[in-house]
Amino acid sequence: MKRMLVHTLAAVALAGCASMSPEPSAATASKEMRMAFDITDAATQPLIVKLETIEITRKQLVDAGYTPRIVMAFRGNASFFTQTDMSLVKEADRADAAKIQGMIRRFKEASVVESVEQCNIPLASRKIQPQNLMHEVKLVPNGWIALAEYQKKGYAYIAP
């Protein structure tokens, strides 16, 4: 009888162990890469190259098994490229500005980036009206504070 009790208790104990789910190992946990890009370019061609490089970076991360989480924060003279009033953009830059806006739209539609944000501070001095921001762009009161918040959430700050 004692022997049967010992075997029964052992079986119950082992059954409890077998039903426990193992802790996920670092190798099986999903990898996530968080990056917040601080974009201040006034020149269109370097900005286009940077945006293309952001997209290449995302593709390389996906190929390496990462889930990229990318934020683009526009400040300073880059603010001209997140708004739709082309009269504020130099005539020579308008075609490139339209290309930049097309890239921003495509990035949002294809989930290349999770957020495109525009700092409110430089708008008034550049005569940019908040209502003229692209629909894909989120207006934030202060771009530096927004970037610091992203850093608190584990995003790497990147100033290309």
Side-chain angles (χ1 to χ4, degrees), residues 41-62:
D41 295 85
T44 57
Q45 281 303 309
L47 178 53
I48 289 170
V49 170
K50 288 176 184 176
L51 295 177
E52 289 170 344
T53 305
I54 289 170
E55 186 172 23
I56 290 167
T57 301
R58 184 200 64 83
K59 288 177 182 176
Q60 290 174 338
L61 287 169
V62 169

Side-chain angles (χ1 to χ4, degrees), residues 7-81:
H7 286 285
T8 304
L9 289 174
V12 169
L14 290 175
C17 290
S19 68
M20 292 177 55
S21 61
E23 290 293 318
S25 68
T28 60
S30 72
K31 298 186 295 184
E32 192 173 74
M33 184 72 66
R34 297 175 180 202
M35 298 182 288
F37 290 88
D38 187 7
I39 299 171
T40 60
D41 295 85
T44 57
Q45 281 303 309
L47 178 53
I48 289 170
V49 170
K50 288 176 184 176
L51 295 177
E52 289 170 344
T53 305
I54 289 170
E55 186 172 23
I56 290 167
T57 301
R58 184 200 64 83
K59 288 177 182 176
Q60 290 174 338
L61 287 169
V62 169
D63 290 345
Y66 286 91
T67 300
R69 296 192 55 200
I70 298 173
V71 172
M72 296 189 317
F74 285 78
R75 300 184 302 106
N77 285 331
S79 305
F80 287 111
F81 308 120

Side-chain angles (χ1 to χ4, degrees), residues 74-91:
F74 285 78
R75 300 184 302 106
N77 285 331
S79 305
F80 287 111
F81 308 120
T82 63
Q83 58 87 38
T84 59
D85 183 357
M86 285 296 145
S87 70
L88 298 177
V89 177
K90 295 176 194 170
E91 191 170 339

